[in-house]
Amino acid sequence: IKLIVIGVFFFGIGGMWIQFLVLFLTPFYWFSTLFFRRSRLTTIGDFFTERFNSKMLGAAYAVFILLLSLLGGGVGYMVAAKTMMAMTPKQIEEYSATEKQAVFDFKEYQELRKQLDTIDTEEDILRYEYLHEKSKRGELKSFVSHTNPILFYFIYALIVGIYTMMGGFRAAAITDAIQGVLIIIFSAILIPVGLSKIGGFSGLHATVPDYMFELFGSATMSEYAWYTILAMVLANLVSIIAVASGMQTAGSATNESTARFGMIAGMFTKRFIMILWALAGLIAIGLYAGKLHDPDLIWGYMTNDLLFPGAIGLMLVGILAANMSTLDASSVSYSALFIRNIYKPLYPDKTEKHYLFIGRIVIAVTLLGGIGVALYVDNLLELFKYIISVPAVFGAAIWLGFLWRRLTKTAVIIQASVCLLIYAVIPNLFPSIEAITTREAFTVETVGKTVMIETKALQADVENGQAAFVGETMKKEHVVLPVGIFFEQVVRENPKDSDSPKIGQGRFQAEIWVVSWLGIDFSRWSKAQLVALRFFFSALFPFLLLFLISAFTKEVPRNVTNAFFAKMHTPVQASDEMEKEELEISYNNPDRFKHRKMFPNTKWEMLKLKKIDYLGFFGSWVLVGIIILLLWIVVTIK
């Protein structure tokens, strides 16, 4: 919810794709869920162990996911804490002198931003540049909260840890059910209250620029142009199959049909509700644009302003429970992954009670590790974009492992190592090395420019005498500020001195750095183009490595791949006895289903599609179209 509302608040309706891009992935769950169910395994770590005859690869995946779990935990903590912060603001009388100055500077900065196209005095220009540098450093505040995020993180983790260790998945399911009902109810309440305050849909269009209603933003006005969304979809498609809980979710279903229909139905229900959250984000633009120093605070700020006291409390409960359900369910999955693919192979003869105790320790470690990430990264959107690409380290190998017999263990090891270096190690290592953060070649920015855009006049334009009526077509100058090419942020060492050296901050974009070795000049690229390049690289580079290296390395032993694909081609049966019987026949005759393969004399293992496959996959795309149509209707109502 929060990611969609934050994205829309920051970039307009196109910003919802930071989370809503999963809409285009949903049809592919029709096949990935089938793969997981037919594999008849407990964890994805088991997949690597069995498919490549390598416990080492299974353990490597488990270690990777456990480290990645810290990022997911960080998202959960940040969402909860920033909601709490926005809902517990201090009164201005309670501000310290430093806090008052930060709030005063923020208001001045917003006023100067509104006049950016018309600023002409050197004093105002220098003042704006100074405040802009402070803003990039996060030193400006729209308000100050009573909530101490560090203290909140530890209390929150303690509560989640206690009931998760005591109740496991059962406790996670109960909290998930509670939060689901609360979130749906109060998300719906926010919209009519917000629309009423802003003057209905006509008032919404009178206060929000028309380019913010474009479903697929432009490279000029948004970070999410159509090609950026395509790149993110491809990167996420590679990554989703590596999510640790996928195997357990599909594997717990009674049969293949239950797994597939259950997954698709649940996913599309959520996609429909996302439309409400996108509308809430547009309302937030009209009501609170320029009033917050941190877009991550918008959901809590909106709740605190629009709902009455009792409803505010229930919304807070819903948000906290929502994040708790994410943290608890994932921590239990990670605990199982650690026990099954790392700990048990090393210590195979321990009691179940012992393994349960170790699992509880893992739950505590993953919850505490998430706190570290939340303290280190303070930008929810950037953290989520990071999570999109990193699972592709193993995602590409999982997709190909299910489909291509020729994929080798050596190729997976080398590809995962190289991609881990590019996607995770370098982006986090380089920002800690002063010689790199201050290196002139890495602190370059795109060229800022002023462009003329054609847009519809807003109420503010009429009041300023720039238009005769709301909705009149007019032209406006829009200043496109420079953005860092290799670093997430590029700031001045001394914000008061516009000639001081530049410093790189935030994530180092190693993907763009690798592509720059080809001699490409990125100085005139837009932010949307840079983001798209990063995600296209994340999606395609792993496959390139896997195909090239597999061509020159030794295949997995034929008896191993025969057994694996014989099982993958055998439908799940209605009873354990039938399962055992059918699998035994397949193991004894690995070519049993050769006549059903799309490419029978090749290394590709895709089976010919059945009627149910066509109906499920293309029917899902019809639902995707319906949801996009509904979203378009919502943003065009006036």
Side-chain angles (χ1 to χ4, degrees):
I1 300 173
K2 281 203 68 178
L3 283 169
I4 290 178
V5 176
I6 292 167
V8 174
F9 181 68
F10 206 96
F11 300 107
I13 197 66
M16 73 179 294
W17 296 113
I18 184 65
Q19 174 66 20
F20 205 51
L21 57 84
V22 294
L23 173 66
F24 300 111
L25 307 180
T26 309
F28 294 94
Y29 281 102
W30 189 253
F31 295 111
S32 65
T33 301
L34 177 66
F35 294 158
F36 285 143
R37 185 63 188 91
R38 282 204 181 172
S39 68
R40 300 163 171 91
L41 298 170
T42 304
T43 71
I44 298 179
D46 294 342
F47 161 80
F48 282 101
T49 299
E50 182 175 299
R51 169 64 175 81
F52 300 101
N53 194 30
S54 173
K55 289 184 178 181
M56 182 273 290
L57 265 180
Y61 168 80
V63 171
F64 169 76
I65 289 297
L66 288 170
L67 292 174
L68 188 62
S69 74
L70 305 184
L71 295 179
V75 170
Y77 287 119
M78 287 173 60
V79 167
K82 292 198 174 188
T83 301
M84 191 74 171
M85 290 170 68
M87 296 172 73
T88 55
K90 286 184 178 180
Q91 297 297 317
I92 193 168
E93 296 81 11
E94 301 175 277
Y95 289 178
S96 66
T98 303
E99 291 170 343
K100 283 183 179 178
Q101 187 62 50
V103 173
F104 175 81
D105 286 347
F106 173 79
K107 292 179 179 178
E108 184 183 2
Y109 174 60
Q110 292 300 323
E111 287 299 318
L112 288 172
R113 283 193 67 183
K114 291 178 182 177
Q115 306 166 21
L116 190 58
D117 301 338
T118 57
I119 291 178
D120 52 10
T121 67
E122 185 177 351
E123 181 181 356
D124 284 343
I125 292 173
L126 291 175
R127 180 63 178 170
Y128 170 78
E129 290 178 351
Y130 167 64
L131 292 176
H132 183 59
E133 289 296 320
K134 292 191 71 174
S135 177
K136 289 195 289 186
R137 293 168 178 265
E139 296 174 1
L140 305 184
K141 306 290 182 184
S142 54
F143 70 92
V144 182
S145 176
H146 283 289
T147 299
N148 181 324
I150 298 177
L151 181 61
F152 175 87
Y153 291 151
F154 281 99
I155 294 175
Y156 197 59
L158 179 63
I159 295 172
V160 175
I162 289 174
Y163 80 74
T164 303
M165 292 177 193
M166 294 175 64
F169 269 124
R170 185 181 182 87
I174 293 172
T175 57
D176 200 37
I178 294 172
Q179 67 86 14
V181 174
L182 289 175
I183 290 298
I184 291 172
I185 292 173
F186 287 101
S187 296
I189 289 176
L190 274 178
I191 292 172
V193 175
L195 281 174
S196 175
K197 187 170 183 177
I198 206 172
F201 282 98
S202 59
L204 181 65
H205 283 268
T207 53
V208 178
D210 63 335
Y211 56 80
M212 286 196 164
F213 289 90
E214 295 179 7
L215 291 184
F216 301 96
S218 68
T220 301
M221 304 305 298
S222 173
E223 188 175 312
Y224 300 99
W226 67 266
Y227 48 80
T228 317
I229 297 166
L230 175 61
M232 294 174 71
V233 167
L234 289 177
N236 211 0
L237 179 60
V238 176
S239 297
I240 56 166
I241 203 165
V243 175
S245 59
M247 187 73 78
Q248 292 98 314
T249 302
S252 62
T254 305
N255 51 50
E256 294 173 9
S257 296
T258 302
R260 299 173 94 175
F261 282 103
M263 179 68 76
I264 292 294
M267 290 293 180
F268 274 115
T269 299
K270 189 173 181 179
R271 307 302 180 246
F272 275 107
I273 297 173
M274 283 179 174
I275 297 174
L276 297 177
W277 302 336
L279 179 56
L282 288 173
I283 294 171
I285 298 173
L287 293 175
Y288 312 115
K291 295 183 179 180
L292 287 176
H293 65 277
D294 182 356
D296 295 353
L297 299 164
I298 185 58
W299 185 264
Y301 191 88
M302 193 176 185
T303 298
N304 200 46
D305 183 56
L306 296 180
L307 296 184
F308 51 90
I312 292 173
L314 289 174
M315 175 66 86
L316 181 59
V317 170
I319 291 291
L320 296 182
N323 289 287
M324 284 180 175
S325 68
T326 301
L327 288 170
D328 56 28
S330 59
S331 64
V332 173
S333 295
Y334 301 141
S335 175
L337 190 66
F338 175 83
I339 295 296
R340 189 166 180 86
N341 298 111
I342 299 176
Y343 192 79
K344 200 169 184 177
L346 296 174
Y347 304 97
D349 300 319
K350 301 295 182 180
T351 64
E352 288 300 315
K353 186 176 181 181
H354 175 81
Y355 291 133
L356 180 61
F357 174 74
I358 297 299
R360 287 172 172 169
I361 293 176
V362 174
I363 289 173
V365 171
T366 56
L367 290 174
L368 290 174
I371 294 177
V373 172
L375 294 174
Y376 178 71
V377 182
D378 193 47
N379 187 308
L380 192 57
L381 288 180
E382 289 301 324
L383 182 57
F384 189 76
K385 283 190 286 186
Y386 188 65
I387 293 174
I388 289 176
S389 58
V390 172
V393 168
F394 278 97
I398 297 172
W399 279 114
L400 279 184
F402 278 124
L403 301 174
W404 191 43
R405 181 185 290 260
R406 186 64 180 82
L407 182 63
T408 68
K409 180 175 77 172
T410 303
V412 175
I413 293 172
I414 295 175
Q415 174 266 315
S417 301
V418 172
C419 289
L420 186 64
L421 186 69
I422 296 173
Y423 299 167
V425 177
I426 291 176
N428 290 293
L429 178 64
F430 277 24
S432 64
I433 302 174
E434 184 178 354
I436 291 177
T437 60
T438 57
R439 186 177 176 183
E440 191 173 332
F442 288 153
T443 58
V444 292
E445 296 178 275
T446 59
V447 177
K449 57 184 177 181
T450 300
V451 296
M452 190 69 68
I453 63 170
E454 190 173 276
T455 184
K456 303 289 185 180
L458 304 176
Q459 184 63 42
D461 299 317
V462 176
E463 293 172 357
N464 294 333
Q466 295 176 297
F469 56 89
V470 173
E472 179 185 3
T473 300
M474 60 181 296
K475 291 187 176 181
K476 285 185 178 181
E477 283 190 348
H478 177 75
V479 177
V480 180
L481 297 174
V483 295
I485 294 174
F486 298 112
F487 276 100
E488 189 180 313
Q489 292 276 9
V490 176
V491 302
R492 294 287 180 183
E493 184 177 23
N494 180 1
K496 293 183 178 180
D497 182 4
S498 59
D499 294 322
S500 65
K502 293 180 178 180
I503 301 174
Q505 289 186 343
R507 184 185 191 273
F508 181 81
Q509 317 294 6
E511 302 90 344
I512 297 176
W513 179 47
V514 171
V515 177
S516 73
W517 299 348
L518 300 176
I520 299 174
D521 179 13
F522 296 110
S523 62
R524 297 195 177 276
W525 284 40
S526 68
K527 178 69 172 177
Q529 291 170 326
L530 291 173
V531 173
L533 174 62
R534 171 185 160 189
F535 285 108
F536 275 128
F537 185 95
S538 298
L540 303 177
F541 185 66
F543 288 101
L544 176 63
L545 287 180
L546 289 172
F547 281 121
L548 287 176
I549 300 170
S550 290
F552 299 99
T553 53
K554 184 179 178 181
E555 290 188 52
V556 178
R558 187 169 181 80
N559 65 307
V560 174
T561 53
N562 278 347
F564 178 80
F565 286 109
K567 181 174 65 170
M568 288 299 301
H569 294 163
T570 304
V572 174
Q573 302 300 306
S575 67
D576 291 340
E577 292 76 14
M578 293 174 65
E579 272 277 274
K580 185 177 180 180
E581 182 181 337
E582 286 296 313
L583 287 174
E584 190 65 30
I585 295 173
S586 296
Y587 291 146
N588 292 329
N589 181 17
D591 292 328
R592 179 186 180 191
F593 295 98
K594 185 177 180 180
H595 66 284
R596 287 209 56 233
K597 290 173 63 176
M598 286 186 181
F599 311 103
N601 297 315
T602 70
K603 300 291 186 179
W604 291 98
E605 295 291 333
M606 293 89 78
L607 296 181
K608 296 174 184 177
L609 299 181
K610 295 181 178 180
K611 184 177 180 180
I612 188 66
D613 297 316
Y614 286 109
L615 289 175
F617 184 68
F618 292 106
S620 295
W621 280 111
V622 171
L623 290 175
V624 169
I626 291 172
I627 291 174
I628 293 177
L629 175 62
L630 289 174
L631 179 61
W632 176 80
I633 291 172
V634 167
V635 300
T636 53
I637 296 174
K638 294 185 180 179

